[in-house]
Amino acid sequence: MTAAGLDLQILRAFVLAAREGSVSRAAERLHLTQPAVSLQLKRLAEETGLQLFTRTPHGLALTADGAALLPQAERVLSAVGDLQQAARNLQGTVRGALRIGTILDPEFTRLGVFLRELVESAPQIETELRHGMSGTVLAQVLRGELDVGFHLDTDGEGDSNATAPALLAARTLTRFTYRVVAPAGWGPQVLGRDWKALAALPWLATPPESAHHRLLEKVFGPLGLSPRRAALVDQEASMLDLLKSGVGLSLLRDSIAIRESQSHGLVMADRVQLDCALRFVSLAARRNEPVIASAWNALARAWN
């Protein structure tokens, strides 16, 4: 018997006839006629060169060869059933690549929890993480270079880019406050001071794509002020190190500002602060694409 000659329907007929001990009952189970089942059993006997059944007054009985062959046939049918179930499962599986724009530290964005939820619910999705500044992530999402991303909304409602809200699907994850922080020992220059007085002090500037830049531009721009630039930095870790070294002022998230003031004596301005919101965004037109929809669902579980 060749592999090509092995027909699954013939194996099913053989297994059911052996279990039922009757061609008629096997035919009923298979929704076939008795002659059709008898023909299949005859074909299997010819292809194997074995006598598989003997007829008795009560129906069919397996021969020794038939009894030896039955477990093998059952295993083949079971394996085929497993294969078919796996194929059905894969038909409903979301697969593809997901490009994620990340910002800030992973703990704050719950990045690890988000990715765990995504991997557990859609293991066939391949993720690519790209860390950057908030404005860069937003621009890349709008250009289709990223599929989803985290973004800092400095306006409270939507982004300062007037075209962005209409194009974006967005969810606000949390709202927080930025505090103006100065090096240790700068209390007299910072405490009790307003924005105009603070503008005269040296600042750690950031690129236009950063949320820090957008927040401070909203404050100093209408006042016609341009803060003194002590250094230009684009990494939060570098900014914090320069603060501790006494180079100049910067914005820090309230939780970090409180922690660093307690552990390193950094000074928080007490008259000014800026509100911000962490958002998750994608293009609205792509919101229901399977891979992106899976990301949104994982995000909902991570933040609920």
Side-chain angles (χ1 to χ4, degrees):
M1 179 180 64
T2 65
L6 185 61
D7 188 298
L8 292 177
Q9 188 63 28
I10 290 176
L11 286 184
R12 292 189 183 96
F14 168 59
V15 169
L16 282 174
R19 290 175 178 171
E20 298 291 340
S22 165
V23 171
S24 61
R25 288 196 293 272
E28 290 177 6
R29 295 278 303 277
L30 291 168
H31 305 290
L32 297 173
T33 63
Q34 290 186 42
V37 172
S38 295
L39 184 61
Q40 289 174 340
L41 296 178
K42 179 181 178 183
R43 182 179 168 187
L44 181 60
E46 292 173 347
E47 290 187 355
T48 60
L50 301 171
Q51 182 181 354
L52 303 174
F53 294 99
T54 58
R55 292 191 177 275
T56 72
H58 304 291
L60 294 180
L62 283 169
T63 65
D65 289 338
L69 194 63
L70 179 61
Q72 305 293 335
E74 290 175 330
R75 279 195 286 271
V76 170
L77 293 177
S78 177
V80 170
D82 291 343
L83 177 65
Q84 292 171 335
Q85 183 60 50
R88 285 191 291 269
N89 292 341
L90 287 173
Q91 288 174 356
T93 298
V94 178
R95 54 171 54 82
L98 180 71
R99 300 164 298 175
I100 306 169
T102 70
I103 59 173
L104 304 175
D105 55 272
E107 182 179 2
F108 184 68
T109 59
R110 300 188 190 176
L111 182 62
V113 180
F114 164 57
L115 290 178
R116 183 193 68 203
E117 293 289 345
L118 182 62
V119 168
E120 290 180 352
S121 60
Q124 299 297 320
I125 292 179
E126 298 180 359
T127 58
E128 176 185 342
L129 302 180
R130 299 183 190 174
H131 190 83
M133 287 178 286
S134 176
T136 302
V137 168
L138 179 66
Q140 290 177 336
V141 169
L142 289 169
R143 292 196 299 265
E145 297 169 5
L146 289 172
D147 302 306
V148 298
F150 295 92
H151 171 65
L152 295 180
D153 173 16
T154 59
D155 290 337
E157 298 293 338
D159 189 81
S160 56
N161 181 346
T163 64
L167 297 175
L168 291 173
R171 173 181 170 177
T172 297
L173 303 176
T174 186
R175 300 183 185 276
F176 62 99
T177 301
Y178 271 113
R179 302 293 298 270
V180 175
V181 182
W186 287 34
Q189 299 102 302
V190 172
L191 296 177
R193 307 295 180 175
D194 59 12
W195 287 113
K196 184 175 181 179
L198 293 174
L201 299 174
W203 280 78
L204 302 176
T206 59
E209 298 83 6
S210 75
H212 289 199
H213 181 93
R214 299 198 310 272
L215 284 166
L216 292 175
E217 184 67 22
K218 286 173 52 181
V219 172
F220 292 129
L223 297 175
L225 300 174
S226 181
R228 291 171 51 196
R229 177 191 290 190
L232 180 66
V233 293
D234 61 0
Q235 295 289 333
E236 199 168 66
S238 299
M239 186 180 304
L240 190 54
D241 188 62
L242 292 176
L243 261 173
K244 294 175 183 177
S245 300
V247 176
L249 279 66
S250 182
L251 296 179
L252 289 180
R253 277 176 282 143
D254 46 7
S255 58
I256 298 177
I258 293 170
R259 182 192 71 201
E260 294 299 327
S261 66
Q262 293 173 345
S263 59
H264 293 95
L266 300 186
V267 181
M268 289 190 295
D270 54 356
R271 286 192 56 189
V272 298
Q273 63 183 39
L274 295 166
D275 295 327
C276 196
L278 174 67
R279 299 195 305 164
F280 188 76
V281 298
S282 70
L283 282 175
R286 302 184 59 201
R287 171 66 175 79
N288 294 321
E289 291 181 11
V291 170
I292 294 178
S294 295
W296 277 98
N297 292 336
L299 179 91
R301 292 190 296 273
W303 279 87
N304 284 344

